[in-house]
Amino acid sequence: MEISTIGLDLAKNVFQVHGISATGEVVIRKALRRSQMLPFFEKLPPCLVGAEACGTSHHWARELTKLGHEVRLMPAAYVKPYVKRGKNDAADAEAICEAVTRQTMRFVPVKSREQQAALSLHRVRSLLIKQRTQLVNMMRSVLAELGIAIPVGIVKALQMAREIVDRESRLDLPTEATNVVAMLAEQLLQLHVQLRKLDLRLAALQRSDDRARRLATIPGIGPIGATALAASVTDPTQFASGRQFAAWLGLTPRQSSSGGKERLGRITKMGDRYLRQLLIVGATALVRYAKEKPSTVDPRFVALLARKPARVASVAIANKMARIAWAVMARGGVFERGHAPVLAAA
């Protein structure tokens, strides 16, 4: 019997295949080594291949698409309910095969190599920021134990590190402590230089990408946020509206409604954590501008800040920014202050 649908459980070296016919009968259950993957699918006629979205899924989706197959990626959380009993590769592949045929299933668009390369810059930048924070905290703690306090802020910490490396500081420290602090300060400055290089590369990427250039016109979204959104959202038209896009990012309240009573809680925090973090950081900057220079931001943000606490206002503004970003990506154009949507004729 001809295989019509395949559930593919991805792994590093051993892949599990579960194939069924058009009538739903199981045709094949097989484990494949990495070297056997492409030769196996080359021999098959074009069919529907389902897989869980993971780190390597986009690579395999591109390769299988070249062979003529239709590949659909699904969030792992949406596949798990279809696992009947137990947890092994064969059961996972069977669940994937069943889930990919569901009419209500949601799929993840396949990213290109260029998009994944752009996202790798963001991942490395996020890692270096964490390492820089660790070094600053360690340097602060070592000096604090010896009675020296570094002023609050990364700028002050970098200034202190430069003075220590250039031997311009006059810290009265024991010899061993001086060597340790000098080592930390040197590593901190090296990390900061690498971060500056990444920021420059992301700024150049933002200037060269049309979608990122248009996203950067939105207040609160800079080169970092614009390039992250452009690389992460492959197909903005998969979302029916900006509200759905904001919900995908986890910026909408969690519902616990029943019996006709609506109960809304905190935001769901679902979806891409990095994108949500960038939007909230940008919204926090707008909140600060609304407090210091109200004329530079949208009057609605100033009014919202007068009614709600700053943190609540930041999340609400981030939700609004997400909706605007979807409109810019899905409909084209740039952000226009005071834009009024055109109402459809009755």
Side-chain angles (χ1 to χ4, degrees):
M1 291 182 290
E2 185 174 339
I3 298 175
S4 64
T5 306
I6 288 180
L8 178 61
D9 184 50
L10 298 174
K12 183 178 180 181
N13 293 317
V14 180
F15 303 80
Q16 184 71 34
V17 171
H18 183 94
I20 61 175
S21 65
T23 58
E25 298 182 41
V26 178
V27 178
I28 185 172
R29 289 192 184 98
K30 187 175 183 179
L32 300 174
R33 303 292 298 181
R34 187 181 185 89
S35 59
Q36 298 173 325
M37 272 282 290
L38 293 181
F40 172 79
F41 281 96
E42 283 177 354
K43 299 176 182 178
L44 294 180
C47 58
L48 174 62
V49 180
E52 292 179 337
C54 61
T56 60
S57 60
H58 296 276
H59 163 72
W60 289 113
R62 290 192 297 266
E63 294 298 321
L64 297 183
T65 301
K66 293 177 183 177
L67 299 178
H69 301 288
E70 180 185 358
V71 183
R72 295 180 182 177
L73 305 180
M74 299 165 289
Y78 294 167
V79 176
K80 188 172 179 59
Y82 293 93
V83 179
K84 294 182 177 63
R85 181 177 294 182
K87 173 68 174 73
N88 54 57
D89 293 346
D92 289 345
E94 182 180 358
I96 292 169
C97 187
E98 183 175 352
V100 75
T101 60
R102 299 300 95 190
Q103 295 294 328
T104 57
M105 179 56 63
R106 297 179 182 178
F107 301 103
V108 178
V110 179
K111 290 183 174 62
S112 65
R113 292 169 60 89
E114 291 73 19
Q115 287 176 315
Q116 289 187 297
L119 288 175
S120 67
L121 292 177
H122 287 274
R123 293 192 185 96
V124 172
R125 180 179 180 274
S126 181
L127 173 64
L128 294 185
I129 288 176
K130 292 178 182 178
Q131 292 178 346
R132 185 180 65 178
T133 303
Q134 290 175 344
L135 288 172
V136 169
N137 291 340
M138 178 59 72
M139 191 168 68
R140 286 182 187 277
S141 64
V142 171
L143 292 177
E145 289 178 354
L146 299 172
I148 300 172
I150 301 177
V152 177
I154 187 65
V155 175
K156 297 295 184 180
L158 290 171
Q159 182 180 351
M160 175 70 77
R162 292 190 187 95
E163 292 176 356
I164 293 173
V165 171
D166 297 338
R167 298 186 179 181
E168 296 178 357
S169 62
R170 299 179 180 178
L171 300 178
D172 184 15
L173 300 175
T175 303
E176 293 301 329
T178 301
N179 294 334
V180 168
V181 173
M183 180 180 62
L184 293 173
E186 186 176 355
Q187 291 186 10
L188 175 59
L189 293 179
Q190 290 176 356
L191 269 180
H192 186 67
V193 170
Q194 295 297 326
L195 278 170
R196 290 295 302 159
K197 290 180 179 179
L198 284 176
D199 288 342
L200 292 175
R201 292 176 65 181
L202 287 171
L205 180 63
Q206 181 260 322
R207 291 191 297 268
S208 63
D209 186 85
D210 176 66
R211 182 187 291 182
R213 284 199 306 269
R214 291 187 286 108
L215 285 169
T217 61
I218 304 173
I221 296 182
I224 306 299
T227 52
L229 283 167
S232 299
V233 184
T234 304
D235 181 18
T237 59
Q238 67 175 315
F239 304 102
S241 63
R243 177 179 297 181
Q244 193 177 97
F245 180 63
W248 177 71
L249 289 174
L251 290 170
T252 53
R254 184 185 299 276
Q255 289 197 25
S256 181
S257 304
S258 179
K261 295 182 179 179
E262 292 189 1
R263 298 181 181 88
L264 302 180
R266 298 181 178 182
I267 59 173
T268 62
K269 295 185 180 180
M270 302 294 286
D272 195 315
R273 180 181 179 182
Y274 181 66
L275 292 181
R276 184 172 60 253
Q277 176 187 358
L278 291 177
L279 289 173
I280 292 179
V281 168
T284 304
L286 292 180
V287 167
R288 185 174 69 251
Y289 295 150
K291 291 181 178 179
E292 299 174 355
K293 300 177 181 179
S295 59
T296 61
V297 299
D298 193 325
R300 290 174 295 182
F301 294 168
V302 180
L304 177 64
L305 193 60
R307 302 191 311 267
K308 299 292 184 180
R311 290 299 182 187
V312 176
S314 296
V315 175
I317 294 172
N319 185 302
K320 181 68 174 179
M321 290 166 55
R323 298 187 188 194
I324 297 173
W326 174 84
V328 169
M329 290 187 291
R331 300 172 182 171
V334 297
F335 172 77
E336 299 178 10
R337 186 183 294 274
H339 172 74
V342 179
L343 298 179

